[in-house]
């Protein structure tokens, strides 16, 4: 019997934030044999491929008002390949570098964040304030094995990003 | 993958689009199509479709494949469809043009080429609409809504065009024939106004505020602009179709559409001025300065349209009006943004992997704006001169203007190729360890 852990990313999405990191961190906390029950404000189609790569099958069900409930179930064959890591966002250390990149013209914010990230010791974090969601930065961080958490401030004018170096 | 990565085929779209623009200008210099031929002649159809499909639509599709994922911060629905779509669009356009040349007696009259072209173009645009639509739909806010309205207009444009193509071949019955007789203005409004203009407006909102460090335009304001524009296109398409069905003439519908179109232009002008006013960056880059020239052409098109209607000369001077819209406003904006997009993508592709690990050049180091500016200025001067010569009914002087536009375009193409080749980057920074030189026609992903 699969036990499902609930992850509700609807508040993050409604605030204009990016829930990917939250979902990934929840995924890492899963015990073998556990699945993920995700609530989202839209059908998270791109996530299906990501989760399939990690060995999860999906079953999506539409809720009221265009919202979706998706069950991610670990596939039997992949179960042993998936090793949950202990690290969660609760254990992220305070940022060692703080950048205010709000008044830099693109792509200078990305350049500075990557340059600062390269100087982090393993497991250290940096935080940055930006004017926009750094969409071109994410693939670069991903390729280098960094993790990140980001979202807009409630007034929607500042994007707050935390980046953690691989430990 | 989260966020936006580099679209592999955007450069291929741009290269194909610029090649068609070159063909279009060569046709004008060689006196094929308007103004040497009548506005509705097969030669003019060739010219108009080379410009609107080959140049503007292909360039717009290439830009959107890169830009829509940025707008919604989601990856493209399917990167795999981009190249087949380009192949279908190119093959469809070639078939369509061959069909038009057949209509005009320049090729054997194989009229089945027109429906064939329409089917291929519908398939190509269909892939694009589904791909971009499903991507934009994930977060349909701000500029993404303009893109969705533009894509809906593209569907209407393609539908009209396909009906015309089948009607030309005699395969569309009496209904098709009557739509062909009266529906051409609706096809043009949906294409130039809905697909190309609304999309260009949406994209410009984000690009302008991004590069000038300005606030995004308030959603309520841009919604008003979009609502006016979308209403104009819906009335043209739905009202116009009803009017054709009732055989009541299109004048009433077109008047309402003209008023709404003018309102959209004015509202857009207000939004753009607000972006310029609230900018934190005083010094403007080439792409923004040259975009200003295209905004001037848009404003001039609006004024020219009003003056021509008031003096009763609109029908007689339709060619000059459309020329200014296509080459001053749309082409001007697309060229300015293309120049910036190529530089940015080339920079990201080449230096992204080594950024922070080795010294890298800035985006500005990939271009030589002072040298490039003059080609843009030559192009815009030539467009305005050409418009004036069309209004003054001076075909020879118009050809000279087209030749001058060609000089400007060749200069711009050369600058874009130099950017792609990193030719202006000083040598110690040019290719740091771990970076690899980009290919001219596509991106490594």
């Amino acid at each position: 019997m699969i036990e499902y852990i609930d992850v509700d990313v609807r508040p993050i999405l409604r605030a204009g934030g990016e829930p990917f990191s939250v979902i990934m961190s929840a995924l890492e906390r899963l015990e073998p044999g556990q699945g993920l029950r995700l609530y989202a404000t839209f059908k998270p189609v791109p996530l299906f491929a990501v989760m399939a790569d990690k060995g999860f099958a999906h079953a999506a069900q539409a809720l009221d008002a265009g919202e979706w409930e998706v069950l991610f179930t670990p596939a039997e064959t992949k179960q042993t390949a998936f090793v949950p890591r202990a690290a969660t966002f609760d254990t992220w250390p305070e940022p060692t570098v703080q950048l205010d990149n709000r008044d830099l013209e693109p792509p200078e914010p990305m350049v500075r964040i990557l340059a600062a990230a390269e100087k982090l010791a393993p497991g250290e974090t940096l935080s940055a304030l930006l004017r926009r969601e750094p969409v071109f930065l994410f693939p670069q961080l991903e390729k280098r094995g960094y993790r990140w958490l980001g979202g807009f401030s409630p007034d929607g004018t500042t994007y707050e990003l935390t980046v953690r170096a691989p430990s | 993958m989260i966020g936006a990565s580099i679209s592999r085929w955007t450069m291929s779209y741009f290269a194909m689009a610029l090649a068609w623009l070159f063909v279009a200008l060569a046709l004008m210099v060689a006196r094929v199509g308007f103004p040497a031929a009548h506005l509705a002649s097969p030669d003019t159809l060739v010219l108009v479709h080379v410009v609107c499909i080959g140049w503007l639509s292909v360039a717009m599709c290439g830009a959107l494949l890169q830009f829509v994922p940025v707008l919604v911060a989601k990856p493209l629905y399917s990167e795999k469809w981009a190249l087949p779509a380009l192949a279908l669009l190119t093959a469809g356009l070639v078939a369509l043009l061959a069909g038009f040349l057949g209509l005009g007696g320049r090729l054997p009259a194989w009229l089945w080429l027109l429906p064939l072209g329409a089917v291929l173009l519908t398939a190509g645009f269909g892939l694009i609409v589904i791909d971009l639509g499903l991507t934009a739909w994930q977060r349909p806010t701000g500029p993404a809504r303009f893109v969705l309205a533009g894509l809906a207009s593209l569907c209407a444009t393609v539908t009209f065009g396909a009906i015309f193509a089948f009607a030309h071949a005699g395969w569309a019955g009496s209904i098709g024939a009557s739509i062909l007789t009266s529906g051409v203005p609706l096809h043009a409004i949906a294409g130039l106004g809905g697909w190309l203009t609304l999309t260009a407006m949406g994209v410009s909102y984000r690009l302008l505020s991004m590069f000038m460090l300005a606030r995004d335009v308030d959603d309520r304001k841009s919604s008003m602009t979009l609502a006016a524009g979308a209403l104009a296109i819906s009335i043209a398409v739905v009202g116009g179709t009803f009017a054709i069905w009732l055989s009541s003439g299109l004048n009433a519908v077109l008047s309402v559409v003209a008023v709404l179109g003018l309102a959209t232009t004015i509202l857009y002008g207000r939004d753009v001025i607000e972006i310029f006013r609230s900018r934190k960056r005083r010094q403007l880059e080439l792409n923004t300065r040259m975009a200003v020239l295209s905004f001037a052409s848009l404003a001039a098109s609006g004024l020219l349209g009003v003056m021509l209607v008031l003096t009763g000369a609109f029908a007689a001077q339709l060619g000059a009006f459309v020329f200014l819209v296509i080459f001053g406003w749309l082409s001007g904006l697309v060229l300015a943004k293309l120049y910036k997009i190529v530089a940015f993508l080339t920079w990201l592709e080449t230096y992204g992997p080594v950024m922070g690990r080795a010294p890298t050049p800035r985006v500005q180091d990939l271009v030589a704006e002072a040298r490039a500016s003059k080609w843009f200025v030559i192009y815009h001067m030539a467009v305005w001169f050409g418009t004036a010569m069309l209004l003054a009914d001076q075909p020879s002087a118009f050809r000279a203007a087209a030749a001058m536009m060609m000089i400007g375009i060749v200069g711009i193409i050369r600058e874009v190729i130099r950017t792609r080749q990193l030719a202006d980057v000083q040598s110690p920074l040019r290719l740091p360890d771990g970076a690899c030189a980009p290919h001219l026609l596509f991106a490594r992903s």
Side-chain angles (χ1 to χ4, degrees):
Chain A
M1 188 68 196
I2 302 281
E3 180 196 351
Y4 289 96
I5 306 298
D6 286 354
V7 178
D8 187 350
V9 296
R10 288 173 295 188
I12 301 178
L13 289 169
R14 285 196 203 99
E18 181 49 68
F20 187 78
S21 301
V22 173
I23 298 168
M24 289 301 122
S25 76
L27 194 63
E28 287 175 359
R29 284 197 298 269
L30 290 186
E31 301 292 327
Q34 283 185 332
L36 208 61
R37 182 185 285 113
L38 180 74
Y39 293 96
T41 55
F42 61 89
K43 190 176 180 180
V45 178
L47 190 62
F48 297 165
V50 175
M51 294 296 284
D53 281 347
K54 295 188 184 292
F56 286 83
H58 69 268
Q61 186 188 355
L63 305 174
D64 291 342
E67 297 183 338
W68 287 78
E69 176 191 314
V70 189
L71 288 180
F72 290 104
T73 312
E76 290 300 325
T77 50
K78 292 268 184 113
Q79 239 182 59
T80 49
F82 182 73
V83 183
R85 272 183 273 166
T88 69
F89 288 98
D90 304 334
T91 63
W92 281 28
E94 283 296 303
T96 50
V97 185
Q98 296 190 336
L99 301 169
D100 185 347
N101 290 346
R102 282 175 292 184
D103 287 339
L104 297 176
E105 60 196 71
E108 203 54 29
M110 167 180 173
V111 176
R112 296 214 182 172
I113 290 169
L114 283 173
E118 286 292 327
K119 295 199 183 77
L120 292 178
E124 280 188 343
T125 66
L126 70 81
S127 78
L129 301 180
L130 299 135
R131 201 172 276 276
R132 296 186 185 282
E133 193 166 12
V135 287
F136 286 109
L137 175 65
F138 294 142
Q140 302 292 345
L141 289 175
E142 194 162 290
K143 278 182 202 150
R144 297 171 188 210
Y146 289 81
R147 293 198 291 146
W148 72 93
L149 189 60
F152 277 99
S153 59
D155 64 352
T157 57
T158 302
Y159 189 89
E160 300 170 1
L161 178 75
T162 309
V163 175
R164 187 179 194 224
S167 42
Chain B
M1 180 69 75
I2 186 164
S5 46
I6 298 171
S7 164
R8 188 165 166 75
W9 303 112
T10 291
M11 293 302 155
S12 323
Y13 274 73
F14 285 174
M16 184 64 83
L18 286 168
W20 282 115
L21 173 59
F22 189 82
V23 170
L25 292 170
L27 288 174
M28 287 197 282
V29 172
R31 271 196 274 194
V32 176
F34 184 82
H38 184 261
L39 211 51
S41 72
D43 279 358
T44 302
L45 289 177
V46 169
L47 180 58
V48 165
H49 288 85
V50 167
V51 175
C52 293
I53 299 177
W55 156 234
L56 289 172
S57 294
V58 169
M60 188 65 87
C61 290
L64 291 178
L65 288 170
Q66 178 61 64
F67 194 67
V68 171
V70 175
L71 279 182
V72 299
K74 306 277 179 216
L76 196 61
Y77 176 75
S78 171
E79 181 75 34
K80 287 191 194 119
W81 293 2
L83 192 61
L86 179 60
L88 286 166
L89 291 176
T90 308
L93 179 56
V94 169
L96 190 73
L97 297 177
F100 287 143
L101 290 170
L103 277 183
R106 289 180 187 267
L107 281 183
W110 295 320
L111 293 184
W112 50 268
L113 280 168
L114 291 168
L116 173 68
V119 168
L120 292 170
L121 285 168
T122 306
F125 281 125
L127 284 182
I128 295 280
V129 167
I130 294 171
D131 206 1
L132 295 175
L134 288 178
T135 311
W137 194 253
Q138 297 181 72
R139 208 191 270 179
T141 54
R145 291 168 309 155
F146 280 81
V147 174
L148 287 169
L151 292 174
S153 306
L154 174 59
C155 293
T157 313
V158 171
T159 307
F160 275 115
I163 293 173
F164 299 163
F166 278 82
H168 268 302
W171 300 352
S174 62
I175 296 175
S178 68
I179 293 179
L180 176 61
T181 315
S182 352
V184 176
L186 310 181
H187 177 61
I189 290 168
L192 287 177
W195 157 231
L196 293 166
T197 292
L198 285 182
T199 310
M201 284 176 173
V203 170
S204 71
Y205 276 109
R206 179 55 59 82
L207 286 180
L208 288 173
S209 58
M210 213 157 79
F211 289 120
M212 288 195 284
L213 296 177
R215 280 197 307 270
D216 277 324
V217 173
D218 188 75
D219 245 15
R220 274 167 302 179
K221 284 191 172 168
S222 63
S223 303
M224 252 175 87
T225 311
L226 177 62
L231 191 62
I233 306 302
S234 323
I235 289 178
V237 172
V238 180
T241 307
F242 264 109
I244 292 173
W245 185 42
L246 299 171
S247 313
S248 66
L250 285 176
N251 283 344
V253 171
L254 293 183
S255 309
V256 176
V257 172
V259 171
L260 282 168
L262 192 63
T264 311
T265 310
I266 293 168
L267 288 170
Y268 175 65
R270 176 200 63 171
D271 296 343
V272 168
I273 288 169
E274 191 188 309
I275 295 177
F276 273 82
R277 278 207 185 126
S278 73
R279 76 182 195 268
K280 290 204 160 182
R281 192 162 177 227
R282 303 323 290 181
Q283 178 84 19
L284 297 182
E285 289 180 353
L286 176 137
N287 82 83
T288 313
R289 280 182 280 126
M290 297 306 128
V292 170
L293 297 180
S294 65
F295 297 140
S297 285
L298 176 63
S301 308
L303 268 177
L304 180 64
V306 170
M307 275 165 53
L308 291 175
V309 167
L310 291 180
T311 54
F314 190 78
Q317 297 288 8
L318 184 63
F321 174 77
V322 171
F323 178 82
L324 186 58
V325 170
I326 286 182
F327 287 104
W329 152 237
L330 288 169
S331 302
L333 187 70
V334 170
L335 284 169
K337 295 304 167 195
L338 185 148
Y339 179 81
K340 178 72 191 183
I341 294 170
V342 170
F344 177 73
L345 290 181
T346 304
W347 174 84
L348 185 63
E349 182 189 346
T350 313
Y351 304 111
V354 296
M355 221 173 279
R357 296 170 175 171
T360 53
R362 301 166 308 155
V363 183
Q364 302 93 295
D365 299 332
L366 271 65
V367 294
E369 290 199 345
R371 198 179 57 218
S373 300
K374 68 171 177 289
W375 303 119
F376 279 92
V377 171
I378 288 174
Y379 171 82
H380 281 279
M381 299 304 245
V383 169
W384 295 334
F385 177 63
T387 309
M389 290 307 103
L390 285 177
L391 290 169
D393 198 17
Q394 298 291 330
S396 312
F398 173 79
R399 276 176 74 204
M404 205 166 121
M405 285 163 69
M406 218 161 153
I407 294 170
I409 292 302
V410 170
I412 293 169
I413 292 175
R414 186 170 164 272
E415 293 298 324
V416 169
I417 292 175
R418 284 182 65 85
T419 302
R420 211 52 206 144
Q421 294 175 331
L422 309 172
D424 288 310
V425 186
Q426 295 307 310
S427 106
L429 288 179
R430 193 164 172 264
L431 277 180
D433 281 345
C436 89
H439 191 277
L440 183 62
L441 294 179
F442 58 86
R444 299 170 209 282
S445 44

